[in-house]
Amino acid sequence: MARLLEGKPIAEKIKEEVRRQAQSLKNKPILASIQAGENAGAAAYVKSQQKIAFDLGLDYQLHKLGQDTTESVLIEFIKKLNADKSINGIIIQMPLPGQIDYKKISQFILPEKDVEAIHPANIGKIIFGETKMLPCTPAAVMELLKETGVDLYGKEVVVVGHSEIVGKPLALLLLDKFATVTVCHIGTSKAGKLEEHVKKAEILIVAVGKAGLIKGEWVKEGAIVIDVGINRVEGKIVGDVEFEAAEKRASWITPVPGGVGPLTVTMLMRNLVEAAKLQQEP
Ligand code: NDP
């Protein structure tokens, strides 16, 4: 039976360090959050960011823009925040209204204030292992792996999902630790090869958003399973992996909810303090 790999206790330890570092700074770090339009998911996420920021002694400014905000208005708004020296980090809440192209917008955030690491310059730095501000969800997964004590060197790691915010940057971080990384995606599934790849994973990380995509019986005996997926099924939140069957085979498994989730916002706050440190250093 697998051990539960819970995010909360790890997040608490990291928060302690973030709080300590924030206190040692000359000015309280400020995160500017832009929310364009109304969305229940985004509103809930903002609330949890606000709560954690205040708890850690950080400032959180919410800027609400209308549903009809144009790209050029949003870009001008970002430029204003870029120029404001009191702001240390900028986050754009998703989803954005349909008329706004997220990829285009991400290029306008000053890389030093890009606490989600979505600017192409920051994504590029991941390749060289040079950045201190890692994208939040991949950073959360790396912290969970660290907690298991596993040595990633030479391990067979399978990442399912190749999005820009999770799968792709995570694969680079794992490569940096000399893991042997296989990235699966829709093409893998369509070719009927997902099961074959998953079965060989010593470490399996799934970030797709499809409940039950990964069958418990596919999980290799003794594997570490990290389920990033969030799905609502019959009023319950579940991941992408069949939990009950998988936990019988795995050595460690993240619960959903309670695994990756509690760590993600903590990573955002860690990045904010990192950004503030870099900006305040002479
Ligand atoms: P995206 O929708 O951007 O990416 C999903 C990925 O899964 C894509 O690469 C897609 O490939 C791939 N995919 C889709 N269907 C299949 C399939 N049948 N087999 C294999 N791969 C498939 O989602 P995100 O990366 O943003 O998020 C993934 C999940 O993680 C979601 O459930 C999200 O809610 C959750 N999440 C959780 C976080 C947390 O803090 N716990 C944070 C961020 C995300 P293609 O693009 O080629 O179709």
Side-chain angles (χ1 to χ4, degrees):
M1 197 67 129
R3 288 174 70 179
L4 264 194
L5 189 48
E6 289 179 293
K8 212 165 165 205
I10 310 170
E12 289 309 319
K13 275 190 266 174
I14 298 171
K15 278 182 189 166
E16 209 42 64
E17 178 60 17
V18 172
R19 197 179 283 118
R20 201 187 56 74
Q21 291 199 15
Q23 276 167 0
S24 71
L25 289 168
K26 202 163 69 197
N27 302 313
K28 196 187 251 200
I30 302 180
L31 178 60
S33 161
I34 307 174
Q35 187 187 351
E38 288 300 333
N39 176 279
Y45 195 39
V46 162
K47 232 171 139 184
S48 113
Q49 289 168 6
Q50 254 166 344
K51 188 173 172 295
I52 294 177
F54 294 145
D55 178 43
L56 297 180
L58 310 167
D59 256 345
Y60 190 95
Q61 286 181 2
L62 177 60
H63 301 274
K64 279 183 132 181
L65 305 179
Q67 183 70 31
D68 55 356
T69 304
T70 60
E71 265 183 10
S72 55
V73 165
L74 182 52
I75 290 168
E76 282 316 306
F77 199 81
I78 292 170
K79 285 183 178 168
K80 220 171 72 186
L81 295 174
N82 283 343
D84 182 342
K85 288 212 176 341
S86 72
I87 302 287
N88 303 106
I90 301 171
I91 175 171
I92 300 173
Q93 304 298 333
M94 295 298 286
L96 283 166
Q99 68 277 14
I100 298 173
D101 177 358
Y102 175 69
K103 271 192 201 158
K104 185 172 165 193
I105 293 298
S106 65
Q107 303 180 19
F108 286 90
I109 300 175
L110 209 60
E112 303 90 280
K113 298 190 179 186
D114 172 31
V115 285
E116 286 192 292
I118 54 169
H119 188 285
N122 286 332
I123 294 172
K125 278 186 188 166
I126 298 172
I127 289 189
F128 300 104
E130 268 181 6
T131 179
K132 287 190 172 168
M133 288 200 288
L134 297 174
C136 304
T137 309
V141 172
M142 296 306 283
E143 290 296 336
L144 286 161
L145 287 174
K146 206 197 277 177
E147 186 68 16
T148 67
V150 70
D151 180 5
L152 290 167
Y153 197 96
K155 284 282 179 312
E156 239 5 284
V157 184
V158 174
V159 178
V160 188
H162 67 156
S163 72
E164 279 93 6
I165 63 157
V166 189
K168 280 181 192 164
L170 179 59
L172 291 172
L173 295 178
L174 292 161
L175 265 181
D176 208 42
K177 302 284 181 205
F178 293 90
T180 305
V181 186
T182 303
V183 183
C184 299
H185 39 72
I186 191 73
T188 320
S189 279
K190 290 223 164 122
K193 293 186 174 164
L194 186 61
E195 175 178 353
E196 166 189 332
H197 287 292
V198 168
K199 278 185 162 167
K200 67 177 183 155
E202 294 172 288
I203 298 171
L204 174 66
I205 303 159
V206 190
V208 172
K210 283 194 178 140
L213 176 71
I214 306 296
K215 307 290 166 225
E217 75 220 33
W218 296 356
V219 171
K220 192 181 170 80
E221 210 58 62
I224 296 173
V225 179
I226 301 199
D227 193 348
V228 182
I230 300 175
N231 310 285
R232 191 173 283 275
V233 177
E234 293 165 4
K236 266 181 70 185
I237 301 289
V238 298
D240 294 338
V241 179
E242 285 181 348
F243 184 86
E244 279 78 17
E247 82 169 330
K248 292 196 178 88
R249 304 174 64 86
S251 57
W252 289 90
I253 190 165
T254 53
V256 179
V260 182
L263 270 164
T264 312
V265 183
T266 304
M267 298 295 109
L268 177 70
M269 300 309 161
R270 184 167 79 177
N271 282 349
L272 176 68
V273 171
E274 205 53 55
K277 267 169 35 190
L278 293 171
Q279 288 160 32
Q280 289 181 22
E281 270 164 21

